[in-house]
Amino acid sequence: MSDSPTVPLIELNGLTKTYGIGDAAFQALKGIDLTIQRREFVAIMGASGSGKSTLMNVLGCLDTPTAGTYRYEGIAVQDLSTDERSLLRRYALGFVFQGFNLLPRTTSLDNVELPLLYRGVSRKERREKAVAALTSVGLPTKMDSTPAELSGGQQQRVAIARAIVTEPSTLFADEPTGNLDSVTTGDVMELLKRLNEERGITVLVVTHDDHVATYARRIVVIKDGLIESDVSQSQGGA
Amino acid sequence: MIWNAFVIALREISRNMTRAFLTVLGIFIGAAAIITMVTLGQGATLAVKAQISSLGNNLLTLRPGAGFGSRGASAGVPHFTEKDAVVIGEQIAGVAAVAPVRNASLSTIHLQNARVSVVTGTTPAYFEINKWKLAEGRLFTSADLRSGAAVCVIGNTVRKELFGSENPIGAKLRIGKASCEVIGLLVAKGQAGMGDQDDTIILPLSALQRRMVGKTSSHDISQISISAKDGVDSNALITEITAVMRQRRNLQRNEDNNFNIFDTRQIAETLGSTTQLMTLLLAAVAGVSLLVGGIGIMNIMLVSVTERTREIGIRLAIGATAREVLLQFLVEAVTLSCVGGVVGILLAFGLCAGLARLIQVPFNFNLQINVVAFVFAAAVGVLFGYAPARRAARLNPIDALRNE
Ligand SMILES: Nc1ncnc2c1ncn2[C@@H]1O[C@H](COP(=O)(O)OP(=O)(O)OP(=O)(O)O)[C@@H](O)[C@H]1O
Ligand SMILES: [Mg+2]
């Protein structure tokens, strides 16, 4: 694995994604070229159905592209085996789903500990890190609640805690503030910004919220499966 | 990795106790059903076999009358003579032993205990022919028979009813109008199906004739017990005995037999094949119940497949490999199946012990069927618990997550 600064963290070339086959086929991504460097904070915006989640899923190695290349730290991800992609997710990537995807009937603490369990982290350390992560998203009192006992916004914050607890190299967040009020949204975005600035975590956030986008230093706009604009702004944060 | 899979699997089980319980339920009902049915079926077969062999398996019984049922009513048909028994023993080569039998229902009294008992007057050969074994005391001898000694051997039921906890050997028993010394106690044979064989008093034929009922005619023998030598075909023997008896009873060619011969071996064979059929039937029923149990397990697994597919998607998405997820599911399925199997075996043990007592068959723990049922039920559980996971773990995480 090359750490040379000349190799970008993420490099997409002519990436396409087609759902379905034959007459029912639908091309959600129509050839994306995108390069993202380490420590960037990128907002991905665009209308509903434009292909943002599809792009994030491919970037997060949760889905495979139909054509084109995806290089993560120089590695051709589409050539990796299923297990190798699992390990890439385990050790390098964090993902916050648009639909949370927490384990049902499982406490916040256990949900957040889960990625650490697969990393082989000791019981004591798992507990400490999970508590810290839940505290940092503002849920110190909901450690033992199951998803069914939490509001949508609280579930979203547990999902964020689960994604950041491993301190991944890259954090993908698909509308992480979609269910939050403006105050909590501010808290979460400050948290992501801090992780980006202090820990050097690369952050990609999908959002519809212009205010959220102001935290990013770069805004990529997707339209109908293609990049419509890609603008870097000098100043992040509101 | 294995330890991790264990931790995760046990957590997942503990979070879904209802699902776990229903899975275990399906498995243990299946296992318990097959074990109970086969064990009880074998117990019944054993009971019937023991019953038959206690009758004596080479035993032929000669009775007056044309046969069983209403046609066999022996009213007016002459009984047998003591000479008949002697002739059968002497003339027919395949006969091992012969005993004339005269039965009478008489009142029996010991101290303040009284009851009516069936009293059998016969010769010493009777004990061997009918496979009676001595528990205590002695049997009567040929000398007792010749002298018409007032001695008797009693069955266990008579002992219980008349003597209670008292030792009957040497005690005096009043039979009809005579007093008789109890010299022997017989080993109990039990009673399932055939009436109480232990409700019997056996004494020398001469004593019965002289002291209790009187010798009313020479035709006073109500049946003749005959045992065949080993390896002698009972059908050939029956033909020979029939020929001898027809001659002795002066039957003409056009006259029907006015006696019949009851063959326990034939009965044994019939009953044997019947119980074998019954065991087969029980095994079939048990197989069906195992199938039903299996379908129950399958149902629960299929119902939870959507939820579990999502769970697999989540685990894959946060970095679990397909192998780790499969191992977790395997551990879960094996754990639940084994718990189900063990509970099934325990339940079956309780059921067998209780039911065996209720329907009076012996209960023998059958290791083989327990192992078979356990393995089979566990295999069904593992198969249906693991199969859906195999499919889901091969998917892209996002496809597993989208599963609805
Ligand atoms: N599994 C699928 N099968 C078929 N079509 C799909 C599938 N997933 C997404 N699509 C289609 O692909 C397009 C892009 O979907 P995607 O979820 O990426 O949109 P999005 O930009 O995230 O929208 P939103 O802002 O509403 O979340 C949509 O038109 C959608 O209908
Ligand atoms: Mg989306």
Side-chain angles (χ1 to χ4, degrees), chain B residues 207-224:
Chain B
L208 184 72
Q209 287 167 337
R210 287 178 213 161
R211 296 167 191 273
M212 287 137 199
V213 289
K215 185 160 174 81
T216 42
S217 85
S218 63
H219 284 83
D220 67 340
I221 301 303
S222 47
Q223 72 183 51
I224 298 177

Side-chain angles (χ1 to χ4, degrees), chain B residues 54 132-133 135 155-157 185-190 198:
Chain B
S54 79
W132 279 113
K133 293 203 177 58
N156 197 43
T157 303
L185 172 67
L186 297 168
V187 173
K189 279 186 177 182
D198 297 319

Side-chain angles (χ1 to χ4, degrees), chain A residues 17 19 57 60-64 82-83 85-87 89-90 93 95 97 99 101-107 110-111 113-115 117-120 123 126-127 162, chain B residues 1 4-5 7-8 11-12 14-17 19 307 310-325 328 393-399 401-402:
Chain A
K17 177 70 188 178
Y19 289 117
N57 291 340
C61 293
L62 300 171
D63 208 352
T64 44
T82 316
D83 278 1
R85 263 179 286 151
S86 279
L87 295 178
R89 290 194 296 271
R90 180 186 302 183
L93 312 181
F95 208 98
F97 294 93
N101 282 328
L102 300 173
L103 284 184
R105 288 184 292 279
T106 304
T107 63
D110 283 349
N111 259 303
E113 272 189 29
L114 202 60
L117 196 61
Y118 285 112
R119 278 193 178 196
R123 191 191 169 89
R126 279 202 313 260
R127 184 63 27 135
R162 184 180 62 185
Chain B
M1 176 168 158
N4 237 352
V7 172
I8 295 172
R11 276 193 189 181
E12 202 52 43
S14 70
R15 283 188 198 117
N16 295 282
M17 285 316 267
R19 189 170 69 200
E307 186 185 288
R310 268 179 58 83
E311 179 196 330
I312 290 171
I314 293 170
R315 291 180 184 278
L316 292 174
I318 60 173
T321 60
R323 203 173 319 124
E324 284 168 324
V325 171
Q328 172 207 332
R394 287 209 203 96
L395 298 173
N396 268 329
I398 207 71
D399 292 326
L401 282 170
R402 245 193 303 253

Side-chain angles (χ1 to χ4, degrees), chain B residues 4 34 41 61 84 88 99 135 167 215 265 332 360 366:
Chain B
N4 237 352
I34 192 163
T61 305
D84 288 335
I88 287 171
N167 179 10
K215 185 160 174 81
R265 191 182 334 207
E332 272 186 52
Q360 296 200 336
N366 181 336

Side-chain angles (χ1 to χ4, degrees), chain A residues 203-238:
Chain A
V203 179
L204 276 79
V205 183
V206 170
T207 185
H208 287 287
D209 186 340
D210 289 335
H211 177 69
V212 166
T214 58
Y215 283 87
R217 278 167 304 201
R218 179 176 170 194
I219 298 177
V220 176
V221 178
I222 310 272
K223 191 183 175 194
D224 294 335
L226 285 168
I227 293 181
E228 190 187 47
S229 72
D230 185 346
V231 189
S232 292
Q233 33 188 30
S234 52
Q235 180 62 44

Side-chain angles (χ1 to χ4, degrees), chain B residues 51-60 128-131 189 264-265:
Chain B
Q51 199 69 51
I52 290 162
S53 73
S54 79
L55 282 176
N57 44 3
N58 292 343
L59 176 67
L60 300 180
E128 192 225 303
I129 293 171
N130 288 285
K131 301 233 162 134
K189 279 186 177 182
T264 49
R265 191 182 334 207

Side-chain angles (χ1 to χ4, degrees), chain B residues 298-375:
Chain B
M298 194 168 73
N299 233 350
I300 290 149
M301 298 299 183
L302 288 181
V303 164
S304 58
V305 113
T306 308
E307 186 185 288
R308 301 235 73 181
T309 303
R310 268 179 58 83
E311 179 196 330
I312 290 171
I314 293 170
R315 291 180 184 278
L316 292 174
I318 60 173
T321 60
R323 203 173 319 124
E324 284 168 324
V325 171
L326 285 179
L327 195 61
Q328 172 207 332
F329 272 69
L330 192 64
V331 171
E332 272 186 52
V334 168
T335 306
L336 292 182
S337 300
C338 287
V339 169
V342 168
V343 173
I345 285 175
L346 293 179
L347 183 76
F349 193 89
L351 271 178
C352 287
L355 287 176
R357 179 169 303 177
L358 199 70
I359 61 177
Q360 296 200 336
V361 300
F363 167 41
N364 292 322
F365 181 78
N366 181 336
L367 184 67
Q368 201 183 338
I369 190 63
N370 278 272
V371 170
V372 166
F374 179 89
V375 168

